[in-house]
């Protein structure tokens, strides 16, 4: 008789008690006579022995692990196909001629399967990673007859049982295939064959026990409630498996809950992915079971899913492939479940598809917006996306597979289109009211960018405008939308020249209809202006909108909180922001004396005189003058010196129009202060030389400038300073002015002072301009004549003390310098400037009106 070496398997362990190679060889010698009876069975047995030897040899080699696994998997698959080719046990028994033959044939039959099982145990014992082979076995198994399915499930269950015993006490386990294997087993737990269901449930139990050992430290720190749930949901069964069917057999909810609880996020993601790709399979039963398990898992544990983007792409693909209506509903519900726990990931991914969105994407948006509890998070994410500028190139070039323009950001356009879908949903009514100000301003900015987007997408539809109109309608502002349509606002907004005017119209129309969202909108605009660093063009729109709201709801002057904003914007780096702020401040002239911190306001305007943008300087001059006309005289006189000194640098400005305006405004300031002689004297003397040099005047009225000795040296010093000017006409005028001063008051000057003046004029003899050289020679002659007729210093000093208050010379013209050419050029520059200024003022008035 054949020795029964494989009959008592339950009491043995793999570590050497399940039969050695010598025992197998001994059995083989006794079964030689069966080769004549069942050649097919004998060939399978011989092949299994050979395959097992090859696998053991690979386990002991230093082959690359991946190549080793692939080779061993190929051998196992070949072996499995051999098992599929042998007949059933009853057929094998019928081949025996007597009872002994039948017993030997049955033993050989069982030994073949045990040998296959032993091979799997050897692989798993060496490396738990090779549990992946069991997943492949289930795939092969599903293609075979039911009798082999049951046998294969028994082997899989036993291998998992061995692995679960092996990992007891481990602090971590490297078994990355558990998620995929759990997906296969979960489908078999609801199999129509009770025997397969029983073995699959037992295998699932052992798999979950292995999963508990993976990263045990992480599991221990999990939520205590979930930990207790895990312990209660997976009780260790008594001697048999009678208790397991109540937990894992045919109960899909329990299966989903236990798997979701036990698997780590990465493995649970694999589980979900494996079920998802089974939904479009031709086998309707498998697809239906996978859909149910997938839905139940995400109901409870969607927050553990890590590869949301990959899952979303697969859902989109399946929706595109003409899924049945029922399966489409399942797929859309999966999006709803993912949005419930990962709204930011889902929304960002949905916005990353091509623009404009197709009907499938719109369905996915609707699914994402189905639940009201996540609406605020969804809108927050969309608002974050709307901060981007459509068409902007990414600073870091990332692979973006779905964008219509690969290297640019089109997500804001997609977000605008999505809002047209989401805002009308009933589930979003409360969230829309909560985020009305943020949505309003974000869409206004996106509307501003729409012209550039049309060029990129070649699409005439402005989704930002559609979303903005939808927002108004959903917020109870239908009358505002209708009024704007009558004012042609929507049609004008698409034209670049009317962008700012359209923003103004929207703010004005909202104000006219007393929109109830005004308080929260104003608060948001203030927060936006103070805290949120944005693009300069964004600030322009914000200021236009805020200014119009304030004009309609507040009387001038504005509250200090808002006035401080305009005060700060006067010196903003963006010239457009500066001009808008100055324009608004100018309108507050009638109430300037009621304004808080009026001095700070005026000083901020004066600071704008140093702007590099000439238009800002001009606007600042006009604004300051408009305020000074209405300013209280007491305050005016206290600030007069500071204001007057701010005009001096502008008198030497490179722009002729600014020079002209500065002098004109300075003259008006002198008229304003005509009754404050103490202040007036100092102002006149400080500005005298710049005024004379700018006018280049040689008429007799120049003579009336000198009346006191204490001013002579200051005037000469200022005149000599302009000899260093880069402009030739100023150097010419300075030389002429020095000549007249010295001729007029030479009898009042000391010899040392004449020498200093002479040295300065000498340097001009080297000037490149021949006219300047000629004027310098004439001035030197005047200085030489004064020097020759000088008396001693002591005598002159006495003479000065006597006559310095009343003796002034009268002179005829000295130079006869023709200034016609220079004056004509200056006149032309002034004319061009005045024309440009007039055009600008008309444009600004159009905006304000």
């Amino acid at each position: 008789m054949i020795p029964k070496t494989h009959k008592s398997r339950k009491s043995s362990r793999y570590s050497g008690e399940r039969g050695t190679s010598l025992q197998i060889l001994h059995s083989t010698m006794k079964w030689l006579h069966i080769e004549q009876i069942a050649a097919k069975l004998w060939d399978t047995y011989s092949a299994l022995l050979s395959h097992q030897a090859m696998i053991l040899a690979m386990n002991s080699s230093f082959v690359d692990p991946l190549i080793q696994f692939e080779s061993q998997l190929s051998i196992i698959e070949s072996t499995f196909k051999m098992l599929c080719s042998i007949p059933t046990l009853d057929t094998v028994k019928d081949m025996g001629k007597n009872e002994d033959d039948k017993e030997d044939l049955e033993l050989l039959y069982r030994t073949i399967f045990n040998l296959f099982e032993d091979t799997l145990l050897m692989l798993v014992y060496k490396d738990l990673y090779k549990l992946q082979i069991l997943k492949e076995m289930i795939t092969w198994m599903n293609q075979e007859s039911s009798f082999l399915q049951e046998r294969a499930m028994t082997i899989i269950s036993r291998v998992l049982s061995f692995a679960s015993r092996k990992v007891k006490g481990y602090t971590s386990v490297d078994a990355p295939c558990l998620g995929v294997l759990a997906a296969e087993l979960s489908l078999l737990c609801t199999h129509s064959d009770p025997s397969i269901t029983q073995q699959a449930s037992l295998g699932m139990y052992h798999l979950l026990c292995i999963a508990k050992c993976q990263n045990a430290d992480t599991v221990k720190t999990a939520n205590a409630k979930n930990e207790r749930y895990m312990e209660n949901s997976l009780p260790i069964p008594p001697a048999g498996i009678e208790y397991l069917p109540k937990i894992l057999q045919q109960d899909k909810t329990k299966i989903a809950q236990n798997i979701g609880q036990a698997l780590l996020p990465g493995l649970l993601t694999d589980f979900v992915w494996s079920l998802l790709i089974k939904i479009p399979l031709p086998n309707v039963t498998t697809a239906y079971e996978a859909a149910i398990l997938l839905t139940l898992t995400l109901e409870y544990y969607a927050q553990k899913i890590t590869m949301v983007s990959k899952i979303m792409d697969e859902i989109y693909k399946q929706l595109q492939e003409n899924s049945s209506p029922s399966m489409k509903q399942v797929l859309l519900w999966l999006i709803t479940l993912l949005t419930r726990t990962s709204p930011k990931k889902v929304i960002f991914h949905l916005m990353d598809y091509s623009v404009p969105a197709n009907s499938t994407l719109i369905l996915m948006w609707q699914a994402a917006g189905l639940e009201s509890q996540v609406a605020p998070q969804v809108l927050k994410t969309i608002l974050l996306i709307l901060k981007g500028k459509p068409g902007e190139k990414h600073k870091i070039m990332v692979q973006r597979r779905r964008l219509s323009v690969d290297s640019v950001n089109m997500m804001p356009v997609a977000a605008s289109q999505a809002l047209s879908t989401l805002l009308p949903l009933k589930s979003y009514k409360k969230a829309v009211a909560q985020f009305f100000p943020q949505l309003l301003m974000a869409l206004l900015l996106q509307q501003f960018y729409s012209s550039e987007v049309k060029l990129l997408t070649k699409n005439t539809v402005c989704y930002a405008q559609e979303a903005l109109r939808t927002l108004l309608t959903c917020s109870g502002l239908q009358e505002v939308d209708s009024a704007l349509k009558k004012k042609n606002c929507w049609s004008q907004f698409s034209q670049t020249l009317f962008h700012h005017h359209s923003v103004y119209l929207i703010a004005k129309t909202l104000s006219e209809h007393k929109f109830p969202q005004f308080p929260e909108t104003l608060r948001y605009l203030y927060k936006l202006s103070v805290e949120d660093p944005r693009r300069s063009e964004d600030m322009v729109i914000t200021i236009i909108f805020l200014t119009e709201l304030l004009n309609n709801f507040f009387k001038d002057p504005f509250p200090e909180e808002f006035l401080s904003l305009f005060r700060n914007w006067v010196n903003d780096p963006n010239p457009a922001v500066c001009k808008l702020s100055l324009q608004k401040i100018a309108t507050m002239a009638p109430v300037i004396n009621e304004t808080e911190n009026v001095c700070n306001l005026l000083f901020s305007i004066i600071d704008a005189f140093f702007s590099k943008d000439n238009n800002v300087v001009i606007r600042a001059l006009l604004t300051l003058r408009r305020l000074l006309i209405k300013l209280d005289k007491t305050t005016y006189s206290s600030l007069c010196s500071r204001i007057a000194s701010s005009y001096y640098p502008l008198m030497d400005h490179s722009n002729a129009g600014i020079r002209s305006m500065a002098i004109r405004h300075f003259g008006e300031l002198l008229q304003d202060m005509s009754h404050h002689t103490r202040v007036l004297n100092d102002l006149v003397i400080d500005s005298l030389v710049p005024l004379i040099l700018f006018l280049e005047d040689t008429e007799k009225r120049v003579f009336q400038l000198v009346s006191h000795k204490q001013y002579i040296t200051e005037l000469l010093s200022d005149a000599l300073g302009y000899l260093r000017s880069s402009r030739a006409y100023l150097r010419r005028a300075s030389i002429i002015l020095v000549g007249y001063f010295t001729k007029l008051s030479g009898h009042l000057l000391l010899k040392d002072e004449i020498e200093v003046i002479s040295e300065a004029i000498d340097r001009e003899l080297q000037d490149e301009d021949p006219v300047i050289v000629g004027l310098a020679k004439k001035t030197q002659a005047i200085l030489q004549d004064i020097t020759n007729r000088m008396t001693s210093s002591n005598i002159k000093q006495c003479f000065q003390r006597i006559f310095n208050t009343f003796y002034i010379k009268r002179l005829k013209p000295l130079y006869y310098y023709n200034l016609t050419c220079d004056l004509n050029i200056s006149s032309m520059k002034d004319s061009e400037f005045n024309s440009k200024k007039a055009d600008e003022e008309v444009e600004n008035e159009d905006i304000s009106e």
Side-chain angles (χ1 to χ4, degrees), residues 338-353:
L338 288 171
T339 308
R340 182 186 294 173
T341 55
S342 306
K344 194 170 183 178
K345 291 180 181 178
V346 171
I347 297 304
F348 260 102
H349 194 73
L350 286 175
M351 301 308 162
D352 202 20
Y353 284 93

Side-chain angles (χ1 to χ4, degrees), residues 488-506:
N488 294 323
C489 175
W490 302 126
S491 58
Q492 288 181 357
F493 222 141
S494 60
Q495 304 173 39
T496 306
L497 292 176
F498 291 95
H499 282 166
H500 291 170
H501 185 65
S502 298
V503 172
Y504 157 79
L505 277 179
I506 292 173

Side-chain angles (χ1 to χ4, degrees), residues 691-699 701-702 728-737 740 769 771-772 775 815-828:
L691 287 171
I692 294 173
L693 293 179
F694 176 79
L695 295 173
E696 300 180 355
D697 199 340
T698 59
E699 296 182 8
R701 63 172 178 256
V702 174
Y729 76 86
L730 287 179
R731 298 200 300 277
R732 295 171 197 166
S734 179
I735 294 172
I736 293 171
L737 186 59
Y740 274 106
D769 189 333
V771 177
I772 291 177
L775 294 173
Y815 291 89
Y816 299 99
Y817 175 57
N818 184 4
L819 298 178
T820 305
C821 181
D822 287 341
L823 292 175
N824 286 341
I825 292 172
S826 298
S827 175
M828 290 173 62

Side-chain angles (χ1 to χ4, degrees), residues 354-371:
S354 298
V355 176
N358 55 27
S359 57
T360 301
L361 266 180
I362 292 174
L363 286 175
M364 294 172 76
W365 286 345
Q366 290 174 340
L370 198 60
E371 295 188 336

Side-chain angles (χ1 to χ4, degrees), residues 259-289:
I259 291 174
Q261 174 67 26
L263 295 182
L264 295 176
L267 299 178
L268 187 61
T269 301
D270 293 340
F271 173 81
V272 168
W273 175 257
S274 299
L275 293 176
L276 180 61
I277 60 177
K278 291 183 182 297
I279 290 179
L281 293 179
N283 189 322
V284 178
T285 303
T286 302
Y288 176 75
E289 296 294 335

Side-chain angles (χ1 to χ4, degrees), residues 213-400:
C213 296
Q214 283 203 315
N215 293 332
D217 294 337
T218 304
V219 176
K220 288 179 182 178
T221 57
N223 187 291
K225 179 180 177 180
N226 290 340
E227 188 70 17
R228 289 194 298 271
Y229 175 79
M230 179 68 184
E231 293 171 358
N232 294 333
S233 61
L234 285 175
I236 297 177
I241 58 168
E242 294 78 13
Y243 189 66
L244 282 175
K246 298 178 182 179
I247 298 175
L248 298 175
Q249 293 181 30
Q250 301 295 342
D251 190 337
K252 299 181 183 66
T253 302
K254 287 292 185 181
I255 293 171
Q257 288 178 337
N258 281 281
I259 291 174
Q261 174 67 26
L263 295 182
L264 295 176
L267 299 178
L268 187 61
T269 301
D270 293 340
F271 173 81
V272 168
W273 175 257
S274 299
L275 293 176
L276 180 61
I277 60 177
K278 291 183 182 297
I279 290 179
L281 293 179
N283 189 322
V284 178
T285 303
T286 302
Y288 176 75
E289 296 294 335
I292 294 177
L293 283 168
L294 185 54
T295 302
L296 290 170
T297 304
L298 293 181
E299 283 274 4
Y300 295 103
Y301 292 100
Q303 73 275 9
K304 293 178 69 174
I305 304 304
T306 57
M307 298 178 64
V308 174
S309 298
K310 181 179 178 181
I311 293 171
M312 294 287 292
D313 283 340
E314 180 62 23
I315 292 174
Y316 177 80
K317 176 184 173 184
Q318 292 186 24
L319 287 170
Q320 286 278 75
E321 293 175 350
N322 300 319
S323 301
S324 65
S326 59
M327 282 303 177
K328 276 189 176 180
Q329 291 303 313
V330 171
L331 292 170
L332 293 173
W333 180 242
L334 296 180
I335 294 175
T336 303
L337 295 175
L338 288 171
T339 308
R340 182 186 294 173
T341 55
S342 306
K344 194 170 183 178
K345 291 180 181 178
V346 171
I347 297 304
F348 260 102
H349 194 73
L350 286 175
M351 301 308 162
D352 202 20
Y353 284 93
S354 298
V355 176
N358 55 27
S359 57
T360 301
L361 266 180
I362 292 174
L363 286 175
M364 294 172 76
W365 286 345
Q366 290 174 340
L370 198 60
E371 295 188 336
S372 59
Q373 64 266 31
V374 294
Q377 287 79 11
V378 170
L379 290 183
K380 281 182 181 179
T381 305
I382 291 178
L383 285 169
L384 186 62
I385 294 171
L386 289 176
K387 285 186 177 182
K389 183 177 179 180
E392 263 184 344
K393 289 190 175 183
H394 298 286
K395 293 181 181 178
I396 301 175
M397 297 296 293
V398 232
Q399 184 182 7
R400 302 178 70 82

